[in-house]
């Protein structure tokens, strides 16, 4: 049979299922303590058969999961502790070593966990005959019931510990989850203590009956179970008074409330469950301060246990709250420190670019708004948002655009159009921007950093581009050749390799954006550039045709025209052919 890897997906899921089943089992066992119900008229105890059947079925499911877990443990490898400490974990797959490791102590604990102790104890205790001898045997049975909770709780702790080792992410459990788990422990402990209080209340009354029978000659030696009880025991009302308690005769102590309220003789499970749960939660939260015990030693031990358990759970809760406050304070200070460092980096960037004071204030205000919304935002993303703004682009790039030969006679309105289409880019040290012989799809305007340009044919000659310089005028030459704009795959080829020497901040005019600008502003550009490029009207006809066709197709009249005047299509096709000098076979 194959040895399973504890880090495997199946065992990781199974470990979670097993831990949950162990917790459920601890919460199911107290159901057996609600099975006995007293009959005050006959002075006997009857068993709630319906509740017993439900409790046994539910307990069987958790026992089956535990048995399956025991089988899997014999086929699950483990990491050697010595190799784990060395940082080189080695998976042990030897079957004998696995069995030896599991047999002690895990196998023994699992055997004690699945023993049907609550089922047997409830049946034995309430089938015994009346008398002080049965009283002593019940004390032994109670000790066994309490003892079984030790391996159950230990099994949960060991399983949770193994789960955290196999899945490291559980080691980083958030504090709020630990607080929620602590709250669950309070609820579970209240449930268990309430069930024990109910169980011990019935036994305390039975103890009073046993003592009274020892001193009364009319008491018949019959079973405490109502199904086998014989005789008349109304005289017990005088020896074990409940409605008008007499502590000199018998002191019921903390169990008197359960007997007086009628919870012990109720067959309504929801009623007695919530009543007992409330008793457990109330006394656990108050650390048992309101408990008035008798001189019965085991009752005092039970009250002491409630007080200690409540104190421990309270200390765990306080510890989690304190840890949460410390982490929250530390995280807040760390976030504040990171935000301050980021603001300092932004201020240094502002000083490097000599931005005016009014822009500085606007930038810092926007940066603080972004950091408040996203405290983990990086400096690069902050600068990217800052550099997208139109006034920043204008300050950083306007002078560079004016130095481009083709832009020197363009008016401010068109320059602003080009500025608006510039995209901020960032390159790391030693990264390539363009490679020689590859398509040139953007024109680069450097605002920070150093860029080297060189060719393979003249490797010993290189040029340095720094702040305020640009590269890629070939893209503009390509753009102003209007027939090239119809196909972006026909881009110019980069004559040089462009490589970053340091981290580089720049703006890029992409080929797609250049096409958009020329298409939307062809008329103004044709009038301004025709006398310096030597171009004539023929150069701009394709742009004019495409602009006219695009505007016409966007017009709401186009659909009406297209439906009612299809015969005019030929006329428009011929006009377009004259403008473009190309043959069109279809329009619309």
């Amino acid at each position: 049979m194959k040895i399973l890897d504890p880090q495997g997906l199946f065992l990781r899921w199974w470990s979670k299922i097993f831990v949950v089943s162990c917790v459920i089992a601890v919460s199911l066992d107290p159901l057996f303590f609600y099975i006995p119900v007293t009959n005050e008229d006959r002075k006997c105890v009857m068993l709630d058969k319906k509740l017993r059947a439900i409790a046994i079925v539910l307990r069987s499911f958790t026992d089956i999961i535990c048995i399956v877990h025991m089988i899997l443990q014999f086929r699950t490898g483990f990491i050697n502790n010595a190799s784990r400490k060395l940082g080189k974990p080695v998976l042990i797959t030897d079957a004998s070593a696995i069995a030896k490791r599991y047999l002690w102590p895990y196998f023994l604990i699992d055997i004690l966990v699945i023993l049907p102790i609550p089922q047997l104890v409830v049946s034995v205790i309430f089938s015994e005959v009346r008398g002080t001898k049965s009283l002593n045997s019940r004390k032994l049975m109670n000790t066994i019931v309490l003892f079984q909770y030790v391996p159950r709780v230990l099994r949960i702790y060991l399983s949770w510990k193994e789960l955290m080792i196999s899945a490291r992410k559980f080691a980083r459990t958030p504090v709020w989850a630990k607080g929620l788990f602590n709250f669950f422990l309070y609820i579970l402990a209240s449930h268990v203590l309430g069930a024990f209080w109910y169980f011990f209340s019935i036994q305390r009354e039975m103890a009073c009956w046993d003592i009274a029978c020892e001193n009364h000659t009319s008491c018949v030696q019959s079973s405490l179970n109502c199904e086998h009880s014989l005789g008349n025991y109304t005289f017990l009302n005088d020896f074990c008074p409940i409605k008008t308690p007499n502590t000199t005769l018998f002191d019921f102590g903390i169990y008197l409330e359960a007997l007086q309220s009628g919870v012990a003789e109720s067959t309504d499970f929801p009623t007695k469950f919530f009543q007992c749960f409330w008793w457990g939660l109330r006394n656990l939260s108050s650390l048992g301060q309101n408990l008035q015990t008798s001189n019965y030693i085991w009752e005092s031990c039970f009250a002491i246990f409630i007080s200690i358990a409540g104190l421990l759970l309270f200390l765990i809760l306080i510890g989690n709250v304190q840890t949460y406050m410390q982490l929250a304070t530390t995280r807040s200070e760390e976030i504040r420190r990171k935000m301050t460092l980021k603001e300092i980096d932004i201020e240094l960037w502002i000083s490097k670019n000599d931005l005016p004071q009014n822009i500085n204030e606007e930038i810092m205000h926007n940066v603080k708004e972004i950091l408040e919304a996203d405290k983990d935002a990086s400096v690069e993303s902050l600068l990217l948002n800052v550099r997208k703004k139109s006034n920043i682009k204008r300050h950083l790039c306007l002078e560079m655009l004016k130095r481009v030969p083709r832009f020197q006679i363009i008016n401010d309105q068109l320059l602003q159009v080009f500025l608006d289409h510039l995209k901020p880019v960032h390159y790391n040290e030693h990264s390539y921007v363009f490679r020689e012989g590859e398509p040139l799809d953007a024109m680069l305007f450097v605002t920070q950093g150093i860029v080297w340009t060189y060719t393979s044919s003249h490797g010993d000659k290189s040029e340095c581009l720094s702040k305020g310089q640009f590269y890629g005028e070939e893209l503009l030459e390509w753009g102003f050749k209007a027939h090239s704009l119809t196909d972006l795959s026909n881009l110019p080829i980069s004559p040089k390799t462009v490589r970053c020497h340091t981290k580089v901040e720049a703006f890029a005019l992409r080929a797609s954006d250049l096409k958009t600008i020329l298409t939307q502003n062809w008329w103004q550009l044709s009038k301004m550039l025709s006398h310096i490029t030597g171009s004539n009207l023929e150069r701009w006809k394709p742009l004019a045709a495409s602009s006219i066709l695009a505007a016409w197709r966007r017009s709401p009249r186009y659909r009406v025209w297209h439906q009612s005047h299809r015969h005019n299509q030929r006329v428009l096709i011929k006009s377009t052919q004259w403008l473009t000098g190309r043959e069109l076979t279809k329009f619309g």
Side-chain angles (χ1 to χ4, degrees):
M1 190 174 180
K2 182 181 178 181
I3 299 297
L4 301 175
D5 183 2
Q7 301 290 341
L9 182 61
F10 169 73
L11 282 183
R12 280 189 292 172
W13 275 104
W14 176 257
S15 298
K16 298 173 188 177
I17 294 171
F18 181 67
V19 170
V20 173
S21 72
C22 290
V23 175
I24 293 174
V26 172
S27 62
L28 287 178
D29 277 354
L31 295 180
F32 290 97
F33 303 148
Y34 291 105
I35 293 176
V37 180
T38 61
N39 188 323
E40 294 297 332
D41 296 331
R42 297 176 58 188
K43 299 301 178 183
C44 60
V45 178
M46 57 184 179
L47 302 180
D48 190 339
K49 296 181 179 180
K50 182 179 179 181
L51 179 59
R52 181 170 63 178
I54 293 174
I56 290 174
V57 171
L58 294 176
R59 168 68 188 264
S60 299
F61 281 115
T62 59
D63 287 344
I64 290 172
I65 293 176
C66 188
I67 292 172
V68 173
H69 179 76
M70 292 170 65
I71 296 172
L72 288 175
Q73 288 302 298
F74 284 103
R75 309 308 306 172
T76 301
F78 64 95
I79 305 297
N80 189 295
N81 289 330
S83 63
R84 192 195 301 275
K85 292 178 181 179
L86 294 174
K88 297 179 180 180
V90 177
L91 179 64
I92 305 300
T93 58
D94 181 61
S96 60
I98 293 172
K100 183 178 179 181
R101 175 178 178 268
Y102 176 62
L103 286 174
W104 180 261
Y106 299 100
F107 181 74
L108 178 61
I109 294 173
D110 290 338
I111 289 294
L112 294 175
V113 164
I114 64 174
L115 288 178
I117 293 177
Q119 298 95 309
L120 296 175
V121 167
V122 171
S123 301
V124 171
I125 285 179
F126 302 104
S127 62
E128 293 180 343
V129 297
R130 304 173 189 271
T132 54
K133 292 183 179 180
S134 62
L135 179 60
N136 293 328
S137 64
R138 284 199 295 273
K139 292 179 182 178
L140 177 62
M141 291 294 180
N142 290 339
T143 304
I144 295 174
V145 170
L146 290 171
F147 175 75
Q148 194 185 28
Y149 269 86
V150 175
R152 280 200 174 277
V153 174
L154 185 60
R155 178 74 266 186
I156 294 175
Y157 170 75
L158 293 175
S159 300
W160 180 256
K161 186 177 179 181
E162 290 179 358
L163 185 61
M164 289 200 310
I165 293 174
S166 60
R168 292 295 180 184
K169 62 182 179 180
F170 283 93
R172 298 187 296 270
T173 305
V175 178
W176 65 264
K178 293 181 181 178
L180 188 63
F181 180 69
N182 181 251
F183 174 74
F184 173 76
L185 289 179
Y186 251 106
I187 298 300
L188 181 60
S190 302
H191 165 51
V192 174
L193 292 176
F196 272 112
W197 175 67
Y198 175 87
F199 191 62
F200 292 156
S201 297
I202 293 179
Q203 292 193 46
R204 192 63 178 148
E205 186 176 20
M206 291 168 58
C208 182
W209 295 345
D210 290 333
I211 295 172
C213 279
E214 289 290 327
N215 301 322
H216 203 279
T217 56
S218 62
C219 188
V220 180
Q221 294 293 317
S222 63
S223 173
L224 288 167
N225 195 318
C226 289
E227 294 181 356
H228 308 290
S229 179
L230 301 174
N232 184 8
Y233 299 98
T234 55
F235 69 90
L236 293 176
N237 290 326
D238 298 329
F239 287 93
C240 305
I242 295 175
K243 293 183 179 179
T244 56
N246 188 344
T247 56
T248 58
L249 292 175
F250 193 89
D251 190 357
F252 289 99
I254 62 175
Y255 306 117
L256 181 62
E257 182 182 347
L259 300 174
Q260 285 184 333
S261 64
V263 171
E265 54 183 319
S266 174
T267 56
D268 185 1
F269 175 72
T271 300
K272 62 182 179 182
F273 171 79
F274 283 104
Q275 179 69 22
C276 296
F277 172 75
W278 163 237
W279 185 92
L281 181 62
R282 181 184 63 193
N283 289 285
L284 191 66
S285 303
S286 63
L287 307 182
Q289 295 180 21
N290 299 322
L291 295 176
Q292 299 295 326
T293 63
S294 65
N295 57 1
Y296 182 51
I297 185 171
W298 293 111
E299 180 184 341
S300 299
C301 291
F302 183 53
I304 292 171
F305 177 78
I306 292 174
S307 179
I308 293 175
L311 181 61
L312 288 176
L313 290 173
F314 179 74
L315 290 177
I316 294 173
L317 176 62
I318 293 299
N320 285 333
V321 171
Q322 185 178 7
T323 302
Y324 175 77
M325 292 178 65
Q326 289 176 349
L327 289 176
T329 304
T330 304
R331 178 169 173 78
S332 178
E333 291 177 354
E334 182 68 18
I335 290 173
R336 192 180 299 110
R337 187 182 67 84
K338 288 182 178 179
M339 291 176 64
T340 302
L341 292 175
K342 290 173 183 178
E343 291 177 2
I344 292 173
D345 290 338
I346 298 296
E347 290 176 353
L348 289 174
W349 181 84
I350 291 173
S351 63
K352 286 181 182 179
N353 290 278
D354 299 325
L355 297 178
Q357 184 62 31
N358 60 332
I359 296 181
N360 294 357
E361 295 174 356
E362 180 185 351
I363 290 174
M364 294 308 300
H365 177 72
N366 292 333
V367 167
K368 289 180 180 179
E369 286 185 347
I370 295 173
L371 287 175
E372 288 177 1
D374 182 11
K375 296 179 177 60
D376 296 325
S378 63
V379 176
E380 288 77 12
S381 63
L382 293 173
L383 289 176
L384 187 64
N385 287 319
V386 167
R387 293 162 63 208
K388 287 180 180 179
K389 296 186 175 297
S390 179
N391 56 347
I392 305 296
K393 290 181 184 179
R394 188 174 185 85
H395 180 83
L396 296 177
C397 301
L398 181 60
E399 294 302 321
M400 273 192 287
L401 286 179
K402 289 182 177 180
R403 289 200 295 271
V404 177
R406 284 195 175 271
F407 292 161
Q408 288 179 355
I409 54 97
I410 291 179
N411 59 30
D412 291 341
Q413 183 180 356
L414 281 174
L415 274 178
Q416 187 61 48
V417 172
F418 279 97
L419 280 171
D420 292 339
H421 282 81
L422 291 179
K423 300 293 189 298
V425 290
H426 180 272
Y427 298 100
N428 291 324
E429 186 179 4
H430 304 311
S431 61
Y432 287 89
V433 183
F434 304 110
R435 292 180 185 270
E436 182 183 0
E438 293 184 357
L440 183 67
D441 61 346
M443 185 174 180
L444 196 68
F445 298 89
V446 181
T447 56
Q448 287 291 337
I450 298 174
V451 177
W452 293 103
T453 63
Y454 57 88
T455 62
S456 57
S457 57
H458 297 86
D460 56 338
K461 294 182 180 180
S462 60
E463 296 180 4
C464 175
L465 300 180
S466 57
K467 179 180 179 180
Q469 295 181 297
F470 52 86
Y471 174 83
E473 287 186 84
E474 293 81 4
L475 185 67
L476 292 180
E477 297 293 335
W478 167 84
F480 285 104
K481 297 178 180 178
H483 61 272
S484 301
L485 290 177
T486 58
D487 187 5
L488 285 179
S489 63
N490 189 26
L491 291 172
I493 301 301
S494 176
K496 298 180 180 179
T497 296
V498 180
R499 185 170 178 264
C500 298
H501 180 63
T502 61
K503 288 185 177 180
V504 173
E505 294 178 8
F507 286 86
L509 178 62
R510 305 189 186 280
S512 57
D513 294 328
L514 180 60
K515 175 185 175 181
T516 301
I517 295 171
L518 294 177
T519 302
Q520 294 177 353
N521 301 275
W522 65 273
W523 179 249
Q524 292 175 310
L525 288 169
S526 65
K527 291 191 294 182
M528 291 183 180
L529 300 177
S530 59
H531 67 283
I532 68 166
T533 60
S535 62
N536 50 38
L537 187 59
E538 298 294 330
R539 174 75 53 101
W540 297 95
K541 283 183 179 179
L543 286 176
S546 60
S547 298
I548 292 172
L549 290 176
W552 170 244
R553 286 170 177 166
R554 291 193 300 266
S555 173
R557 296 181 181 180
Y558 169 72
R559 181 171 296 181
V560 177
W561 174 89
H562 188 65
Q563 293 176 352
S564 60
H565 302 284
R566 295 181 64 87
H567 63 278
N568 291 335
Q569 196 175 36
R570 296 192 192 93
V571 178
L572 193 57
I573 288 175
K574 289 182 179 180
S575 300
T576 305
Q577 287 175 345
W578 178 82
L579 285 170
T580 61
R582 292 180 297 167
E583 183 177 356
L584 297 178
T585 58
K586 185 177 180 181
F587 172 80

